[in-house]
Amino acid sequence: GTRIICDRKFLLECKNSPAARTPPCCLPQTPGVTSLALSSLVKLEELKERNESEEAVPDQDQFEMDI
């Protein structure tokens, strides 16, 4: 057999190629595998809302200190 040897620089450059950033055109839509499952989308929305509400609350000290 023949081995194909790629150096680190080549592999890192492949990561940024346009072909690596788009999914194949004929890939089937499988929830949870190739696309987010509906439950995952709901969880993401809940997390976003929770983060927004936590940001709205001003920062409070964890412990009160007597000076």
Side-chain angles (χ1 to χ4, degrees), residues 25 40 46 49-50 56 63:
C25 61
S40 296
E46 289 175 1
E49 290 175 5
R50 187 180 304 153
F63 301 103

Side-chain angles (χ1 to χ4, degrees), residues 54-67:
E54 287 176 359
E55 289 175 0
V57 176
D59 291 335
Q60 297 176 354
D61 292 334
Q62 187 174 3
F63 301 103
E64 291 184 18
M65 294 182 65
D66 294 330
I67 298 178

Side-chain angles (χ1 to χ4, degrees):
T2 305
R3 283 191 172 175
I4 298 174
I5 300 173
C6 301
D7 63 345
R8 183 177 185 273
K9 181 182 174 190
F10 173 75
L11 293 175
L12 288 174
E13 289 173 0
C14 288
K15 176 179 75 169
N16 297 325
S17 73
R21 297 190 178 272
T22 57
C25 61
C26 56
L27 193 66
Q29 296 296 322
T30 307
V33 178
T34 57
S35 63
L36 291 176
L38 290 177
S39 62
S40 296
L41 291 174
V42 172
K43 288 179 183 177
L44 282 174
E45 290 297 323
E46 289 175 1
L47 287 173
K48 286 181 185 177
E49 290 175 5
R50 187 180 304 153
N51 286 339
E52 289 173 359
S53 65
E54 287 176 359
E55 289 175 0
V57 176
D59 291 335
Q60 297 176 354
D61 292 334
Q62 187 174 3
F63 301 103
E64 291 184 18
M65 294 182 65
D66 294 330
I67 298 178

